[in-house]
Amino acid sequence: MRKPKTFNNSERFIEGWYWVMPSQNLRIGEVKPVTILGRNLVIYRGQNKQVVICDAYCPHMGAHLAEGKVEGNELRCFFHNWKFDSQGICVEIPCLYEPLPLKLKTWPTEEKYGMIWIWTGEATQQPLPFIPDVDQDEFDVTFGFHFFKNCHPNIVMINAIDAQHFNTIHQLPFEIIFDTEEYSPNTIIFRNTTDVRGDYSFKKLIRRISKRSITYNICYWYASTSIVTLGFDFFSLHIMFALRLIEGGKTEGRTILMMKKRKRILGKLFNQFVLWMLKLFGQNFVKGDNKIFKTMQFNFKTPIKADQSIVQLINHVEKQKPLTWGTWQLARSREVEAQENPNKWRDDLIND
């Protein structure tokens, strides 16, 4: 089977929403430089509390706009004091009566889950990542860990559907067989309902939490953000892994822990306790994975039947719109894509 063109490619990423920074890290009137997926950008928050993200360099002489200052909801360049509004339109040049008809490139932004997000395409076409079936609910949210991995985000994403490693690395008594649903062109869901096998102390702990089977679902958005849902008898836990590609084909990521809001004081305290426990458990749970990711060189030439979900995810990634690292331009023309008959990683080619 041929190597995928987009999956695990350090020069490509999927058009979509990517995390920028926690909302709390950007105060009103503050401007900062950021580099996202190889592109230099500037982010600021105006007096109206809205976040603006634009290209980093002034269109006049290329001064870095993070050296400038926020005035109201507008950004003024430090070098010659040209000023741009929140849409990137030049609204003032001090030495001219009227500004020139030019526009600084700005990018769509949103704030949700305590995080600032950027859309990497020309116009927003798809929603921010959300949890299907409960997208109307409100959540208590807390940040987990901020991490770096020595491999591509696509490889980190595989971990949640690699059923084999739950038994080998984590020694969990689960038998996981996924049902797969392509929720949208940019979204794929893996669903599983499982019981705990064997006479393990872990099983006894789970039985205290949930007498019924446990649901374990993973929803992938834009080949970069995954949401793991663990469903028990009377509550569900949601863990968002927001990833982005950084230089060298490596990963920078954030975890966001979520539970459906509860109104009463005991419910709020329960949520806080469970999220705190989940944060502690998660840090210990991934230690084995961290060891693998430090030295792993992904080479998937011999998939077996147990790898079916991974093959399905690779196929899903290959069908999405690829952009080029640094330029954010389409990785290949639509004409070429239409003429190509890509060698897909087909399920029927899996060795057993």
Side-chain angles (χ1 to χ4, degrees), residues 39-225:
R39 193 180 187 105
N40 294 323
L41 303 166
V42 163
I43 183 171
Y44 73 91
R45 191 186 296 276
Q47 292 299 318
N48 61 0
K49 300 183 181 180
Q50 298 299 309
V51 173
V52 178
I53 300 179
C54 59
D55 281 351
Y57 302 104
C58 180
H60 180 213
M61 284 192 183
H64 201 295
L65 291 168
E67 303 294 338
K69 61 181 179 179
V70 179
E71 296 182 356
N73 301 318
E74 301 167 333
L75 181 63
R76 187 181 292 279
C77 178
F78 174 77
F79 196 16
H80 296 109
N81 285 349
W82 290 27
K83 188 162 70 171
F84 304 87
D85 69 12
S86 60
Q87 302 301 313
I89 297 172
C90 183
V91 295
E92 183 182 344
I93 299 175
C95 63
L96 297 179
Y97 288 110
E98 293 184 2
L100 299 176
L102 55 85
K103 188 175 185 298
L104 178 69
K105 177 62 181 177
T106 60
W107 299 91
T109 62
E110 293 283 351
E111 288 191 77
K112 195 173 183 180
Y113 314 116
M115 189 73 76
I116 298 170
W117 303 79
I118 184 171
W119 174 263
T120 56
E122 290 298 317
T124 307
Q125 298 177 351
Q126 300 294 335
L128 275 170
F130 64 84
I131 308 166
D133 305 326
V134 294
D135 55 298
Q136 300 301 318
D137 292 344
E138 294 185 1
F139 296 93
D140 286 325
V141 176
T142 187
F143 285 113
F145 41 93
H146 179 196
F147 59 89
F148 295 85
K149 303 292 184 186
N150 290 331
C151 59
H152 194 280
N154 292 162
I155 308 308
V156 180
M157 288 197 313
I158 282 176
N159 216 40
I161 53 173
D162 183 0
Q164 296 176 81
H165 101 284
F166 288 126
N167 303 131
T168 56
I169 299 295
H170 303 296
Q171 299 179 346
L172 295 180
F174 291 136
E175 182 178 6
I176 298 178
I177 301 174
F178 290 109
D179 293 324
T180 308
E181 174 193 356
E182 289 212 351
Y183 189 80
S184 75
N186 296 111
T187 315
I188 188 169
I189 305 174
F190 294 85
R191 303 182 190 273
N192 173 76
T193 300
T194 187
D195 197 1
V196 182
R197 300 174 297 168
D199 187 17
Y200 295 85
S201 58
F202 184 82
K203 177 177 180 179
K204 296 177 182 178
L205 174 62
I206 292 296
R207 284 302 186 195
R208 291 183 179 181
I209 301 175
S210 182
K211 294 181 179 180
R212 298 179 300 178
S213 298
I214 303 167
T215 58
Y216 175 64
N217 303 330
I218 309 97
C219 181
Y220 291 98
W221 291 84
Y222 313 111
S224 60
T225 298

